[in-house]
Amino acid sequence: MDSKLKYLRLEDNTVSMICDKAVIGCLDKVLPSQWLDIFLSRDKEEKRKKTITLWEYHLGEVLPGVTKILRDRLEDIDLIQKDFKDTKGYYILYTINDGEDRKIFYEGRLPEESLQYHMQLDCWEELPREIKSFYEMIHNGFYHYANRGMGIQPIQYVNFEEDDGGEWFLEYGAYSDDYYIDNLSFFRNNLGIAVSISAKEHDAQNAIVWRVDRKPESGKDFWKIVDQLLLYF
């Protein structure tokens, strides 16, 4: 067992890595075409370049800092499997160099997973194009592997009132329930920060930043803040 898998199993002992292209090719009903193509790449470098291209195409304009880190520091992409009772789940693991030769692992859920949840959001069609592109084409959530409350949240957890009180939970202070209800917290991290967009206004340029120790701040640029904090090591 290599050191990466040993580390992954500290969080979930059911994790396995899928490297055999013959096995991956049989997952064409599970993996979306863009990710199937990536994992059937000739070698690691082609796989890395295709992944970066996918991010740049959909989010390069709004996440220039994140895409630059991926270009400069992304070392590898792996397809991993986790077992849940009678089902199996597939995830995409990113190995990123933190700039000091330490490996940081981020996990992305398959975008297809978001389809069963995003239609529950009445405002889905009115949300900014880049947010929909992220969930539909890249991942249903992208977050630190060992701290799953830090990153872009799976679509099923973007409502404050839908928080399961577990790994996705953070306390953002004593504000009125009405203030929470109309906001979708697409981004959170373990520094006690959340960034939300109004479910009524759908404006990424008028996001709200929530912090544990102060009142919410409105009128913020959603993508600018996420670009600064998403790969904050």
Side-chain angles (χ1 to χ4, degrees):
M1 186 188 305
D2 66 23
S3 59
K4 183 186 294 189
L5 187 55
K6 285 182 180 179
Y7 173 80
L8 298 179
R9 286 185 174 174
L10 292 176
E11 293 295 319
D12 186 332
N13 62 15
T14 73
V15 172
S16 59
M17 302 176 72
I18 304 177
C19 303
D20 189 327
K21 289 184 181 178
V23 174
I24 293 172
C26 294
L27 296 176
D28 57 320
K29 303 298 184 184
V30 176
L31 296 177
S33 59
Q34 65 273 27
W35 283 110
L36 183 64
D37 177 64
I38 287 170
F39 284 112
L40 292 177
S41 296
R42 293 189 305 272
D43 52 38
K44 182 167 71 174
E45 182 58 22
E46 182 181 71
K47 182 173 57 172
R48 196 185 75 85
K49 287 181 177 179
K50 286 182 178 181
T51 301
I52 294 167
T53 297
L54 179 67
W55 278 80
E56 289 179 330
Y57 180 80
H58 292 287
L59 296 173
E61 291 185 7
V62 294
L63 292 179
V66 169
T67 52
K68 184 179 188 307
I69 289 175
L70 292 178
R71 283 196 306 272
D72 296 344
R73 301 185 189 175
L74 179 63
E75 294 186 352
D76 204 358
I77 298 287
D78 294 290
L79 180 63
I80 61 175
Q81 176 185 298
K82 300 179 184 180
D83 296 336
F84 303 97
K85 296 182 180 179
D86 298 326
T87 63
K88 299 181 184 298
Y90 297 92
Y91 302 81
I92 296 164
L93 183 80
Y94 291 64
T95 303
I96 303 171
N97 190 303
D98 72 347
E100 297 182 2
D101 290 329
R102 292 176 298 192
K103 298 182 188 301
I104 307 295
F105 300 107
Y106 270 70
E107 179 177 279
R109 297 187 179 198
L110 296 181
E112 265 66 12
E113 183 188 66
S114 71
L115 299 179
Q116 60 183 304
Y117 296 106
H118 75 228
M119 296 312 295
Q120 298 175 16
L121 298 177
D122 294 337
C123 64
W124 178 258
E125 293 301 328
E126 287 73 42
L127 288 173
R129 173 180 57 84
E130 293 87 356
I131 287 180
K132 292 191 291 183
S133 292
F134 172 78
Y135 284 102
E136 292 176 339
M137 300 303 299
I138 303 180
H139 293 303
N140 180 35
F142 178 73
Y143 42 81
H144 193 285
Y145 177 82
N147 186 352
R148 290 183 286 271
M150 188 170 76
I152 299 177
Q153 302 300 290
I155 198 70
Q156 59 267 41
Y157 298 118
V158 300
N159 287 324
F160 281 109
E161 67 269 28
E162 293 296 331
D163 200 307
D164 67 357
E167 63 190 16
W168 307 102
F169 179 75
L170 285 174
E171 178 58 58
Y172 298 107
Y175 310 117
S176 71
D177 290 342
D178 291 341
Y179 205 38
Y180 286 121
I181 289 171
D182 293 330
N183 285 281
L184 305 173
S185 58
F186 290 103
F187 177 84
R188 308 183 196 182
N189 75 7
N190 65 347
L191 300 176
I193 297 174
V195 187
S196 70
I197 292 176
S198 168
K200 293 181 178 179
E201 297 179 4
H202 332 113
D203 185 1
Q205 300 298 315
N206 190 28
I208 296 176
V209 178
W210 307 75
R211 290 184 173 88
V212 166
D213 57 353
R214 67 186 75 172
K215 292 182 179 180
E217 300 174 79
S218 60
K220 300 297 183 178
D221 184 327
F222 174 83
W223 290 113
K224 184 176 181 179
I225 297 170
V226 173
D227 197 37
Q228 293 172 344
L229 296 179
L230 180 57
L231 295 179
Y232 181 79
F233 305 133

